Amino acid sequence: MPRNLAGKVALITGAAHGQGRASAVALAREGVHVAALDVARQLEHPGYPLGTPEELARTVSLVEAAGTRGLAVVADVRDDTAVTAAVESTMAAFGRIDILFNNAGICFYGMAHELSEAEWDAMVDINLKGAWMVARRVIPHMIAQRSGVIINNSSIAGLRGMNRLSHYAASKWGLTGLTKSWAIELAPHNIRVVSIHPTGVNTPMNDGLAALEGMTTQEIAERSAGNLQPVPWIEPEDVAAAIVFLASDEARFVTGSQFVLDAGLLSR
């Protein structure tokens, strides 16, 4: 089965590094043009370093080195004006959006009764509301095209409970619900919607969580995960390979479902 990705256009949020960058490069190698969106500045929450303008520019350079066109767009997924401008810029540059990878997200620990309202809102607004904010500006273009794929980056926390991460789990379970509901709404328009559920991934978020907790990344992985396979985490390229598959015609009948990359964690 051919993947039929060449010439398509992807909008990827949280694209300055980590899973977003790896997915951008993997899709570009399949011939996909990429609009790489990132907030590209530091925020009060989560408290660890986020992507930078230089990292976002590097993502675009890597996309172009893979042989397709790249576009850097800066936006906070909570800001409708910025999101609308980013989607309009993507349409102006490429004329269509075939793939939306809602990847932007944050994570930090806290007991439910000790979280501030600002901490709760940051988690839910970036991880969950942000996915909706972007999708609602992209979906009309996909409907007009009569085609599209939306992939929401949830987590194993979107399929189970997590100690000191109730706010994170709530946001990720929300993405699972959005995925199933959007799949129903958008199937008549030939638009597929899927969520992915990785275990811990070896990204700058790992480093940030470790710094916030005063632990090593290995200790964070062992505490948060507990994979069956003998690895502390998976790599961004593992997620990227799943994105390529799910965005392609090889997954043409995959919609409304949860794609798990958990190294066996959920089998415990």
Side-chain angles (χ1 to χ4, degrees):
M1 168 67 64
R3 288 177 171 164
N4 291 332
L5 286 170
K8 292 189 175 181
V9 176
L11 173 59
I12 300 175
T13 69
H17 54 211
Q19 299 174 59
R21 174 185 284 178
S23 297
V25 173
L27 286 168
R29 289 172 178 159
E30 296 290 330
V32 177
H33 307 297
V34 177
L37 183 153
D38 203 277
V39 68
R41 63 182 174 89
Q42 299 313 299
L43 303 174
E44 180 180 2
H45 304 294
Y48 52 75
L50 301 178
T52 66
E54 294 76 19
E55 288 176 312
L56 183 59
R58 175 62 176 161
T59 295
V60 171
S61 294
L62 290 170
V63 165
E64 293 172 343
T68 61
R69 295 167 58 203
L71 174 71
V73 284
V74 176
D76 186 326
V77 294
R78 299 169 295 182
D79 181 343
D80 183 55
T81 299
V83 166
T84 299
V87 172
E88 289 176 350
S89 294
T90 302
M91 291 298 297
F94 302 115
R96 61 188 298 114
I97 300 174
D98 301 287
I99 302 156
L100 170 60
F101 181 25
N102 273 320
N103 171 67
I106 62 171
C107 184
F108 56 89
Y109 292 95
M111 297 291 285
H113 62 285
E114 295 174 348
L115 291 168
S116 69
E117 186 173 353
E119 289 172 327
W120 177 275
D121 286 349
M123 184 74 76
V124 175
D125 286 355
I126 293 172
N127 292 4
L128 177 57
K129 183 179 178 181
W132 167 72
M133 294 280 281
V134 178
R136 72 169 177 158
R137 298 306 180 199
V138 170
I139 286 170
H141 297 292
M142 290 184 169
I143 289 175
Q145 296 164 188
R146 296 283 307 164
S147 66
V149 181
I150 300 172
I151 304 170
N152 294 319
N153 197 348
S154 181
S155 165
I156 51 107
L159 296 171
R160 60 171 285 185
M162 298 288 286
N163 185 38
R164 297 180 64 224
L165 286 171
S166 63
H167 50 328
Y168 182 72
S171 71
K172 294 303 187 176
W173 275 94
L175 285 175
T176 304
L178 280 184
T179 296
K180 289 185 172 295
S181 299
W182 290 351
I184 295 168
E185 293 178 9
L186 299 175
H189 304 285
N190 195 36
I191 299 168
R192 297 189 292 109
V193 190
V194 186
S195 57
I196 63 169
H197 300 261
T199 184
V201 185
N202 185 21
T203 68
M205 181 185 286
N206 266 8
D207 299 326
L209 287 173
L212 289 177
E213 293 289 292
M215 302 172 69
T216 67
T217 53
Q218 181 77 28
E219 289 168 336
I220 287 288
E222 291 172 353
R223 184 177 75 180
S224 299
N227 301 326
L228 283 183
Q229 292 180 296
V231 293
W233 46 65
I234 62 175
E235 297 298 326
E237 290 74 19
D238 296 310
V239 174
I243 297 304
V244 168
F245 166 70
L246 292 170
S248 76
D249 284 357
E250 291 179 325
R252 66 194 187 280
F253 297 126
V254 179
T255 193
S257 57
Q258 286 60 65
F259 193 94
V260 177
L261 305 85
D262 69 342
L265 184 150
L266 292 175
S267 295
R268 287 189 179 275

